[in-house]
Amino acid sequence: MSELSLLKKELFGDATTAISDIKFYPGENSQASIEEIAGYTRAALADIRSGTARDIDLSF
């Protein structure tokens, strides 16, 4: 199963936890494939769920 298919299933599959609206900004590397973006997104979600993600300082 492709990374994109797995991400779709993870984000939208379960009606009780499904995300209804999400947008992705490709950043400065417009050469990234949709599969790469989906893979990195899935990895980030896994880090968040496992508690190993780090906070990002959004203050200016």
Side-chain angles (χ1 to χ4, degrees), residues 5-24:
S5 295
L6 292 169
L7 180 60
K8 284 180 186 179
K9 185 174 180 178
E10 189 169 346
L11 294 178
F12 307 113
D14 182 0
T16 61
T17 60
I19 293 174
S20 61
D21 185 21
I22 188 168
K23 294 173 180 63
F24 291 94

Side-chain angles (χ1 to χ4, degrees), residues 9-52:
K9 185 174 180 178
E10 189 169 346
L11 294 178
F12 307 113
D14 182 0
T16 61
T17 60
I19 293 174
S20 61
D21 185 21
I22 188 168
K23 294 173 180 63
F24 291 94
Y25 173 70
E28 295 177 9
N29 182 359
S30 61
Q31 301 300 315
S33 73
I34 191 70
E35 288 295 313
E36 290 173 311
I37 293 169
Y40 285 122
T41 303
R42 291 186 62 240
L45 290 171
D47 285 347
I48 291 167
R49 288 188 181 114
S50 70
T52 59

